[in-house]
Amino acid sequence: MSQPTIESILHERRVFTPPADFAQQAHIKSLDEYQQLYDRAKANPAKFWEELAIKELHWFEKWHTVLDWQPPNARWFDGGKINISYNCLDRHLTTWRKNKAALIWEGEPGDSRTLTYAQLHREVCQFANALKHLGVQKGDVVGVYMPMIPEAAIAMLACARIGAAHTVVFGGFSAEALRDRLNDGNAKLIITADGGWRKDAIVPLKEQVDKALADGAAPTVQHVLVVERTKQGVTMEPGRDHWWHEVQPTVSAHCPAEPMDSEDMLFILYTSGSTGKPKGVVHTTGGYNLYTHITTKWVFDLQETDVYWCTADVGWITGHSYIVYGPLSNGATTLMYEGAPRASNPGCFWDVVEKYGVTVFYTAPTAIRAFIKMGDQHPQARDLSSLRLLGTVGEPINPESWMWYQKVIGGDRCPIVDTWWQTETGGHMITSLPGAVPTKPGSATLPFPGILADVVDLEGNPVSDHEGGYLVVRHPWPGMMRTVYGDPDRFRRTYWEHIAPVDGQSLYFAGDGARKDEDGYFWIMGRVDDVISVSGHRLGTMEIESALVSHPAVAEAAVVGRPDDLKGEEVVAFVTLEGAIAPSDDLIKTLKQHVVTEIGALARPGEIRFSDALPKTRSGKIMRRLLRAIAAGEDVSGDTSTLEDRSVLDKLRTGG
Ligand code: WTA
């Protein structure tokens, strides 16, 4: 199975229209209806979003300005007062949803828990009071380093409730990576667990936190709040570390939601870019609440009785927007699963679908490719008839995986929404609306109403149909990131200055290449910068290079992605060693482990190749394009006119 290529996409002619019974009951019922919404939003975006903000959310106070746009800085619903935790919890308590399941949780070992809206509200209030008790105030930053347990969502909502910004760090990141993020965000407290279950093993989260904080290396962190999950025994530092189950009985379950300014920071989430240091993407309250709410409602066509399951981790934006905030703001039942498909239970996802009657299922192409490899017998042995809608996110999906997903998981009856978006965009940007937009396997289809997406060249001119170009957005939208935490210049440079302004209007540059077809459908071609996607996890090649050169044996390193059938891409590192150090298998192992220690297992190179020198241009730039081709085993002999030293190439090709 291969990644989508230009050739395969150009030959993709299959079109699937929404099933009639699905469309009849959907929020958006036809292509006409979509088109009308789209046109209305385009003609007057501020009015479109304002009407939705009034209709869909609770505000303590109304805004005075819908949109203040001074590129690249947007302010949405300025002057408005809102609290996303109130919208996700309190407002449902005065309706029949009070006793509806808000969160269904399934642990990897088979334990489970269901929290109604009333119960979730109570837990969030207590957790919020615990944070206050430990000195957290409005405006503080709180780190969250958690397994996939209800308390991860509770912690996020508790922060939002009292106006503290959370910065969730994926549990697969190492102590070093955690420490960098806590320091960059000046986190005052960190919420973690003793451990979490993943693939039949315990991820020792508290131990990693201890390492991250050792020797005062994260000086702003004053307290650690620890949730007990795995009970394997951890060290607790008196005065600094507190068990949640010991604090909980001492705090009140009454905690009114703090009215926040619409533009107050809701969270920071770090993501990789083309330079070394991960960026702290900042999202604010009002616009993000509206955008995740309405995309969840229309894209997943949420109905009151849905059991909605997104398989992402809360450590990523997908978990933020589409496990926690979007579904709960809509009063939906959101399902959370702790583990991952594993040798001891390759069919665990389908067990969960059957057990809870999941109706909407949202996952990543890398998972779908893994399911295909594991074999149809696993889904076929379970009753998946409750499913009515499938979604995918994170990477381009190759048409054959799409077809498999539709047939084997969706029983040829469920529409598929292929959702293109990013940490930076807050929510879905290009995606079908399942009752309205016909789908083509491998295409994310059309922009969400209010999103003026296009494909342009570097001068900002739209390219013609089927021609590759840069994916851009022309008008601000409520869910867009507001800045890079502590580095507004980097925000401007990275996203707003890459493409030349058109008629004085800056364009948002996503970092992806794309093409449009004659129907205006978008086909995402993948990153055009030095970002690679390993199993749907976004990694900067420079980040991994920095990790490698921080090892004393390494003089220079260049990292590229190599296409991989299962993971999408795999990390390949070209390394030159210091002076007298000799290459060896042991050194390869050491360096791979070093990357795991510095960043996390998700960044572990699949291959490390040693070389005396790296191919450089005459001006000294590493020729990554060439390295990518070499890593992929392509013939590069005709493509080296700017190469400084041709002999380097021969050595690299032979792996010498
Ligand atoms: C890629 C994940 C093709 C893209 C929500 C983007 C996709 C990056 C799709 C963002 C899709 C995401 N089709 N590519 N449906 N969805 N991508 O920030 O390259 O982790 O720029 O956000 O993933 O990754 P991030």
Side-chain angles (χ1 to χ4, degrees), residues 39 44 82 105 122 132 166 198 208 212 214 252 275 332 335 368 389 451 471 534 536-537 590 640 647 650:
D39 293 345
N44 191 342
I82 188 168
W105 171 79
R122 187 185 162 84
K132 282 194 201 165
H166 52 72
R198 196 174 161 80
Q208 297 292 327
S252 146
T275 55
L335 194 145
I368 297 170
L389 175 62
I451 301 305
L471 185 53
V534 179
H537 300 321
T590 307
T640 56
S647 67
D650 298 328

Side-chain angles (χ1 to χ4, degrees), residues 317 393-396 418-423 512 524 527 538:
I317 190 69
V393 58
E395 317 150 64
D418 177 354
T419 61
W420 175 84
W421 61 294
Q422 311 178 289
T423 306
D512 281 310
I524 314 295
R527 303 290 304 194
R538 187 170 153 182

Side-chain angles (χ1 to χ4, degrees), residues 269-271 281 283 317 421-427 479 481 538:
L269 184 58
Y270 286 84
T271 190
V281 169
H283 282 286
I317 190 69
W421 61 294
Q422 311 178 289
T423 306
E424 292 88 338
T425 69
M481 75 183 282
R538 187 170 153 182

